[in-house]
Amino acid sequence: MKIAWVMRSRRQVAATLEGLQQLHREGKYEEAEAGARALEERTRRLRRRSRGLVVGWYAKALATVAACAHGRGTQVLDELESLIAELRRMDGPERVLLLAVRSNRMLVLNDAGRHREAEAEGLDLLRDLTRLKHLTPVWRLELCVLDNMVAALCGQGRYEEAEAIARGHLPRAEGATVAALHSGLVRSLNGQKRYDEALTEAQRFTPRWDRGQSGDLGIATAVALHGLGRRSEAEATVREALNECERFLHPDHPRAREARALIAHITATDGPPAPAPEQTAR
C-alpha cells in the first residue's frame, strides 16, 4: 500500500511539473510562477526526504525562469544564487538543472548590464556542457547560453564576435531561440553600422511569436531604420515595440526602458543616426 502511494504521488508531482512547464511554453508566466511557488511550498514538509528536496529545486527553478522571462530577473537574482549554491553540492541529474539555473543567472547579469560577468559565466557553462554532451542531450540549453553570449558580447561592443555566434547557430535553433538569435544578429549588424544588412535580416523572416521576445526585433529594426535616415518609420516601429513590451512584459523589463530611450533619442534629434542601444538580455 505504501509503495502504491509513493508511485501515485510521484506521478502526480511529475504531471504537475509538466503542466507548469506547459504554461511557461505558452507564455503564461504569471500562472507558471504562481503554480511553481505553490508546489515548492507544498514540498517543504518533505524536505527531510530527498524526493521533496529535488521537487523543491525543480519548482524553484521553474518559478525563477518564469520571473526572468516576464522581466523580473533582478528581483530573483538572490534566489538564483542560493539555488546554485545548493545544486553545486549535488551530482547526477541535478547537474543539468544546475547548468540551466546558471544560464538563467547569465540572462539576469546581462539585464543588469554586467556583461563581462555574463560572458565569463557563459564560457564556463559551454565548457561544462561540452563535457555532458556524450551523456545527455543538452543542445537546447547550449543554444540558450549562446544567445546570452550574443547579448553579453554586444553589451561590450564586440559586435563582430556576436555576429559570428548568431550566424553560426541560428540554422540549428528552434522555438524561442530562433527569435532571440535572429534579433541578436540584427543587433550585432546595427552595432557595426551595417544598417542595410540589419534591415534586410530583420525583414528576411518573422520568427514564431514568443511572449518573452516581445518588442525585441521591433527595437532592433527601428535602430536599423534610424541608421538609414528613415526617422518617421523608425519612430513608428519603436513605438509599436514599446506597446508590445507594455502589453506582454512586466513594467520593469529592461527592454521597455530600451524602447523608451530610443524613442527619446529619435524624437529629440535630427542629427546623425542613433548609436545601437546597449544590448539587453532576451
Side-chain angles (χ1 to χ4, degrees):
M1 187 65 147
K2 183 177 180 180
I3 293 174
W5 180 86
V6 169
M7 293 300 292
R8 184 168 62 252
S9 177
R10 286 178 178 175
R11 286 195 296 269
Q12 289 172 344
V13 167
T16 299
L17 282 171
E18 175 55 36
L20 293 172
Q21 289 167 351
Q22 182 59 34
L23 287 174
H24 183 270
R25 286 191 290 268
E26 293 171 359
K28 299 176 181 177
Y29 302 137
E30 299 91 337
E31 295 173 52
E33 182 182 357
R37 294 199 182 282
L39 178 60
E40 183 191 5
E41 184 61 33
R42 289 202 301 273
T43 62
R44 289 186 188 280
R45 63 180 179 275
L46 302 174
R47 282 296 196 213
R48 294 182 181 178
R49 305 179 192 176
S50 61
R51 183 171 61 85
L53 191 62
V54 170
V55 171
W57 285 335
Y58 276 93
K60 180 178 284 190
L62 183 55
T64 53
V65 77
C68 289
H70 193 206
R72 293 175 37 251
T74 54
Q75 296 179 22
V76 297
L77 182 56
D78 288 345
E79 261 188 292
L80 289 169
E81 299 282 11
S82 66
L83 182 55
I84 288 169
E86 288 185 68
L87 290 170
R88 283 192 191 279
R89 299 194 296 266
M90 305 303 295
D91 291 314
E94 283 69 48
R95 297 299 296 176
V96 177
L97 178 61
L98 169 61
L99 298 182
V101 175
R102 287 175 60 199
S103 175
N104 219 31
R105 178 179 178 273
M106 187 182 174
L107 183 153
V108 177
L109 290 174
N110 275 324
D111 268 352
R114 296 161 62 180
H115 301 296
R116 289 186 180 180
E117 293 175 69
E119 182 193 4
E121 182 77 280
L123 291 172
D124 195 40
L125 276 166
L126 290 172
R127 285 190 289 268
D128 287 345
L129 287 166
T130 298
R131 288 192 286 268
L132 278 176
K133 281 181 179 179
H134 69 289
L135 297 174
T136 185
V138 291
W139 64 272
R140 288 185 178 85
L141 178 53
E142 181 184 37
L143 284 169
C144 289
V145 174
L146 288 166
D147 171 46
N148 287 330
M149 281 293 287
V150 171
L153 291 169
C154 282
Q156 297 175 68
R158 291 158 59 187
Y159 300 110
E160 294 87 350
E161 295 171 70
E163 179 190 356
I165 293 174
R167 282 197 190 280
H169 297 281
L170 186 55
R172 70 187 183 101
E174 65 175 32
T177 357
V178 175
L181 284 171
H182 180 233
S183 181
L185 177 55
V186 177
R187 287 172 177 270
S188 70
L189 294 169
N190 281 331
Q192 298 172 67
K193 303 189 186 305
R194 292 157 59 187
Y195 300 118
D196 273 317
E197 293 176 66
L199 186 59
T200 298
E201 178 60 40
Q203 297 174 341
R204 183 168 65 86
F205 72 99
T206 302
R208 188 189 71 188
W209 187 81
D210 180 89
R211 182 183 174 188
Q213 304 304 317
S214 295
D216 196 24
L217 183 59
I219 292 170
T221 303
V223 172
L225 287 166
H226 192 243
L228 293 169
R230 295 159 64 173
R231 188 167 175 268
S232 60
E233 293 175 75
E235 182 181 348
T237 300
V238 71
R239 287 192 184 281
E240 184 178 345
L242 176 59
N243 180 63
E244 197 175 335
C245 291
E246 291 175 339
R247 181 179 176 188
F248 296 112
L249 302 175
H250 191 271
D252 291 338
H253 201 293
R255 202 175 298 140
R257 295 195 298 272
E258 182 187 18
R260 293 188 188 99
L262 182 56
I263 289 171
H265 183 88
I266 292 172
T267 57
T269 64
D270 288 314
E278 182 178 286
Q279 176 79 19
T280 60
R282 294 177 296 283

